[in-house]
Amino acid sequence: MSGRLLMIGGAVLLLIFGSTLWYTQMYAFYEDLPDTGEITVAERTVPVDSFQGIDATSSPIKLRACMTLDPGAFADLEPSQAAVPLVAPYWFDCFDARTIGKALESGAATAYLAASGEFHGSERMIAVFDDGRAFMWRQLSPEFSK
C-alpha cells in the first residue's frame, strides 16, 4: 500500500469524523421549545410574547430563549451579578450572548436568577431589557463554574 493512498484514506476519515462532530454539536440534539405564552421566574409565572427557544436533553446548559415581556414583572426581584450568557448555535440568531453580556455589564439589561436546581449544577438565568426584550439560558452554578 502506498503512503499516498494511506494519507488520502486518513484525510477522508478525518473529514467524515470532523463533519459528524460539527453536526452533532450544532444541530443534532437541539429541539424547538413550544411557546406556552408564559415562563416561570423565581417561582412566579410571567406572561411572554414572541417566544423562541431551543433546548437539548444531551446537556442541561443548552437552553437558549428569546422573548418579550413586561419588565415590571421583575421589579421586586433581586438582580443577579453572576449571569454569564452562553453562546448559542450560530443558526439561533435571536440570541447573541456577546451583546447580552455587554448590556449586562453596561446596565442596559438586568439579570435575574429564574431557577436553581432544575438540573444538578445549573441555574436558569434571564436578562431583561427596559424595552421588554428578554433572553433566557442555563449556566453552571457557582460551585461548578470555578
Side-chain angles (χ1 to χ4, degrees):
M1 179 186 272
S2 76
R4 180 178 299 195
L5 188 58
L6 187 60
M7 291 300 291
I8 291 171
V12 168
L13 285 175
L14 186 60
L15 183 64
I16 291 169
F17 175 76
S19 298
T20 303
L21 182 62
W22 175 81
Y23 176 80
T24 58
Q25 291 298 310
M26 290 293 142
Y27 294 102
F29 299 108
Y30 285 101
E31 297 177 4
D32 289 331
L33 294 175
D35 182 359
T36 61
E38 60 187 30
I39 60 169
T40 303
V41 176
E43 299 181 3
R44 70 177 74 179
T45 301
V46 177
V48 300
D49 292 314
S50 306
F51 182 86
Q52 293 178 317
I54 57 172
D55 201 0
T57 57
S58 62
S59 172
I61 60 172
K62 288 199 172 198
L63 170 71
R64 306 292 186 278
C66 311
M67 67 208 83
T68 57
L69 47 71
D70 176 17
F74 300 90
D76 61 336
L77 289 179
E78 184 73 28
S80 173
Q81 303 302 320
V84 180
L86 303 176
V87 177
Y90 72 91
W91 51 265
F92 192 66
D93 55 4
C94 75
F95 192 98
D96 183 355
R98 288 171 186 87
T99 302
I100 298 165
K102 287 178 184 177
L104 290 171
E105 288 175 5
S106 72
T110 307
Y112 302 95
L113 176 63
S116 183
E118 289 178 323
F119 296 94
H120 180 68
S122 71
E123 297 176 329
R124 186 165 44 90
M125 306 298 292
I126 187 164
V128 180
F129 287 75
D130 290 339
D131 63 3
R133 291 176 297 141
F135 303 92
M136 189 168 56
W137 68 94
R138 278 194 207 98
Q139 64 186 26
L140 292 176
S141 55
E143 69 264 18
F144 290 103
S145 62
K146 293 182 181 184

